[in-house]
Structures are given as structure tokens and as C-alpha cells.
Amino acid sequence: MEKRVFNFSPGPAMLPLPALQEAQRDLLALPGLGMSILEISHRSAKFLEIIEAAEANLRKLLRIPDDYHVLFLQGGARLQFAMVAMNLLRGSGRSADYILTGTWAKTAMKEAQTQGNIHIAWDGASLNYTRMPRQDELHLDPQAVYLHITSNETIQGIQFHTEPDAGQVPLVCDASSDFLSRPVDIRKYGILYACAQKNAGPAGVTIVIIRKDLADRSPPDLPSMLSYKVLGEAKSLHNTPPCFCIYMVKLVTDWLLQTIGGLEKMEVINRQKAALLYEAIDRSNGFYQGHAAPESRSIMNVTFRLPTPELETAFLQEAKKRDLVELQGHRSVGGCRASIYNAMPVEGVQRLRDFMLEFYDTHSRYRPQNPAQPT
Ligand SMILES: *Cc1c(COP(=O)(O)O)cnc(C)c1O
């Protein structure tokens, strides 16, 4: 096997090795079938078995109640930004509440604005999106069609540790970058959606968990591929679904159930991994500057800066030599970002932590002794 490195990419991201190995082993022919997953009909008994197993795994991991659909859709999380509004907001005569916590929440709002009126319930712009809001800071409209949140801001590295209380208003959540990283009470949500390529599988499929009564509200004049009602009734098989991606979601969720032992266990491991890196940041006397306020730190995306851009470049180059790759921050915000999704082994995070401490020891003389005051 080619050497594998520790890949801290924000997505598409690392996948669990056992899932990749099983896919590799069975790529030419699924056991007993003589054909590969890439070649079989989406209406075949074998594929139905695979998609049903993927759904059953998700239902088990997240304890998804029967009155919710679990859909496997295409178009990424970004299409959901629009679909949520097309299905629920357009023509409702009301507005939807959005909590703006970072780049993804803002993008979701902009797409929804093409379909109807938006009310901003909170905006973290003046805080440079360094933390999530407290409940008492929200300006919620009790008549809103839904309240949209982003549970984890992948680019800023901040995360809701408890979801806001939306009262009677359906809560809609873009959970793309923390899906399956911890248990979630699905009952609190009207819709929870996540593209697969962070934690659940490869790029190409988006998982949408939607309460059936909300799906039934889809306006009848929507194109069928954009209607939750049509897609839900067809059980994700209205058209040819991304078969290989769904197969990979099945293998990844098999791994979560069988090797990890469920989302409670996964969360414990994820918290341990995140603590290793945040401790390294906190013990560096300001050499590493975390972006997130401590109470909103993400356990999936750890964002930080070094004292100078030159040191950041050197840090990324040195890390790469140690097989720690894709640590650069998003092009819009710079700095460094370690994405430590489910499939990143503890060993990879320990290696990064050790490297951070070593780099700090070598370069801490660059630490500003008296940080310049803004003039
Ligand atoms: C990655 C990501 C997206 C974008 O997903 P696509 O599948 O590229 O559309 C949206 N929201 C969040 C929070 C993300 O992390």
C-alpha cells in the first residue's frame, strides 16, 4: 500500500481506513454478486439492501424517529440552502429566521433570500464570528416559518454546544461539519442536513433528515427534484441516486456502529482529540492564537494563527515534512486550521500536538513581548 499521511483537510476529508479497505476489496465484485457497486442498478435487490442498511445505520446511530424521512440527495449542502427555502419559505407570506455565525450561515441565508423574506435573529459579524450566540441574545420571531442555524462553522472553527431553543418554530440545521460526531436529539429539529464529505462519506451525497409533516408542505408546483415531498415518498429513488456514495455512507456508519460503538463513544474520542490541540494553543503563551472564544470552540475544526505570516508558512511546510498535511486555513480567513473529523485517528492529533509544541519551542523567540496596541 502507498503510504497514507495524516490529512487535516476540512473536506472532502479522511475516511476510516476499514471502510476504504472494504470498498477496495469489494470494488470489482460485491460478495456473491459478481458485479461491482459501480455497475448495478439502483433498483436492484442488492442496492436496495445497501441503501436500506445505510438508512438503518443512521436511524440507529442518531435514534431517528419513524416520523422523519432520511433522504440521500445530490447537490451538496449548498442545494439545501435553497431547497429549505423553496419548500418552506416561498409563498408562505412569512419570513424565516437566520442566525449568522460565520461564512456558511451567511451563505445559507443568501441562497434563501432568493426565495423569500429573511429576518436576521443574530449576527456575529461585529465579533468577527469568534463565538456562538447565547439564547438571551437572539431576536427570534415566533411567527417565523423556521429558524436556520449552522451547528459548526467549518471555516471559523466555532460550534454550538447546545442548540438554541426555537420554541414552536421548526429548527433547521446545517450540520455538515459535525454530523455523526456526537449524539443529537433529532426531535428538536424539523430538518437536519449534512453533506457527506466531512464526516459521513465521500462528496456526492447529502443526507437530509426531515420531519414528514414538513416534507408534506412542499408546494406542488416545485420541480420534482427539488421537492422534499416527492423525494421523501420515493425514498431517495426518484431518480438514480449517487449509489457509490451511499454505499460508502453504509461502510462508514458500519464502522461507527461496530468499531467505535456509537456516537456517545465517538464524541468522547472527538473531545479528547480537540483537547490535545486546544491545550497546545493555551499553553503557548500566545504564540498560537485560537480564533474561537473558548466557550464556542469547535471539536471538529481547530483554527489558529501564528505570530507572523512567515511563521505560518514555515509551520505548514515543516508539518508537511512530518506527513501532517492540509493544515492551511480557509483562503478567506488565512491562518491554520486542523480539521479533526471522526476518521482522524488520535495518533494523528497527537503527532500534530507534538509538532506544535516542538515548533513553539524552536520559534517562540518571535513571540511579541508587548503586543502592539492598535493605534
Ligand atoms: C462543507 C460545508 C458546506 C458545503 O457543502 P457542499 O456539499 O460543498 O455544498 C456547507 N455547510 C457547511 C457547514 C460545510 O462545512
Side-chain angles (χ1 to χ4, degrees), residues 18-315:
L20 291 174
Q21 285 169 327
E22 184 171 339
Q24 181 188 46
R25 194 190 64 216
D26 294 347
L27 189 65
L28 296 185
L30 288 164
L33 201 70
M35 293 181 279
S36 106
I37 178 66
L38 297 169
E39 303 163 307
I40 59 174
S41 164
H42 60 295
R43 311 269 175 210
S44 66
K46 187 67 193 177
F47 184 71
L48 294 183
E49 188 189 299
I50 289 168
I51 192 172
E52 281 164 17
E55 177 174 339
N57 282 353
L58 288 168
R59 285 193 184 275
K60 195 164 174 188
L61 283 165
L62 286 160
R63 301 191 181 87
I64 302 172
D66 288 343
D67 56 330
Y68 285 74
H69 291 297
V70 177
L71 304 178
F72 298 97
L73 307 183
Q74 299 184 62
R78 235 176 232 267
L79 182 59
Q80 294 311 306
F81 296 167
M83 263 178 77
V84 165
M86 285 177 174
N87 282 266
L88 297 179
L89 176 61
R90 201 173 68 164
S92 68
R94 293 185 283 154
S95 61
D97 274 358
Y98 276 72
I99 299 184
L100 303 187
T101 46
T103 309
W104 285 118
K106 281 193 290 179
T107 312
M109 180 197 70
K110 282 188 200 132
E111 288 289 305
Q113 267 171 337
T114 65
Q115 303 300 311
N117 287 329
I118 302 299
H119 168 246
I120 297 173
W122 187 79
D123 187 352
S126 65
L127 303 165
N128 195 22
Y129 300 114
T130 46
R131 68 166 175 86
M132 294 300 190
R134 297 185 310 268
Q135 184 74 25
D136 63 6
E137 295 175 300
L138 302 176
H139 298 281
L140 298 177
D141 170 8
Q143 299 301 318
V145 208
Y146 59 83
L147 166 64
H148 185 280
I149 63 166
T150 307
S151 53
N152 183 67
E153 286 283 359
T154 323
I155 292 174
Q156 281 76 19
I158 59 174
Q159 186 174 29
F160 274 110
H161 295 297
T162 45
E163 48 282 270
D165 181 357
Q168 296 305 306
V169 172
L171 186 60
V172 175
C173 178
D174 174 6
S176 290
S177 53
D178 63 4
F179 188 58
L180 302 179
S181 69
R182 57 181 179 179
V184 164
D185 181 0
I186 294 292
R187 278 256 166 255
K188 291 185 178 163
Y189 296 86
I191 304 177
L192 184 133
Y193 62 89
C195 55
Q197 69 269 20
K198 317 292 166 74
N199 247 344
V205 67
T206 295
I207 295 153
V208 179
I209 301 168
I210 176 169
R211 227 172 57 209
K212 289 178 179 169
D213 66 293
L214 289 176
D216 288 342
R217 286 195 210 164
S218 300
D221 61 343
L222 273 186
S224 60
M225 282 303 291
L226 299 174
S227 162
Y228 288 132
K229 185 168 171 20
V230 172
L231 298 165
E233 283 169 358
K235 291 180 155 289
S236 310
L237 297 170
H238 178 61
N239 77 323
T240 315
C243 299
F244 182 75
C245 299
I246 295 169
Y247 165 74
M248 287 304 302
V249 170
K250 180 206 172 272
L251 299 187
V252 170
T253 50
D254 281 345
W255 170 79
L256 276 170
L257 283 164
Q258 291 156 24
T259 308
I260 300 297
L263 298 187
E264 285 79 5
K265 297 233 170 80
M266 191 72 253
E267 179 176 16
V268 171
I269 298 171
N270 284 331
R271 289 199 177 284
Q272 284 168 349
K273 288 190 295 184
L276 287 171
L277 299 186
Y278 287 119
E279 273 167 30
I281 290 172
D282 289 342
R283 290 186 187 166
S284 72
N285 296 315
F287 182 77
Y288 298 110
Q289 289 278 345
H291 175 80
E295 72 274 17
S296 294
R297 284 172 164 177
S298 167
I299 61 166
M300 295 278 100
N301 311 95
V302 179
T303 46
F304 55 95
R305 307 202 76 105
L306 278 73
T308 65
E310 293 71 31
L311 279 171
E312 281 169 359
T313 306
F315 177 86

Side-chain angles (χ1 to χ4, degrees), residues 317-330:
Q317 280 169 355
E318 285 290 314
K320 196 166 177 203
K321 287 188 200 146
R322 289 163 171 77
D323 293 335
L324 306 167
V325 308
E326 301 295 338
L327 284 161
Q328 66 282 4
H330 189 267

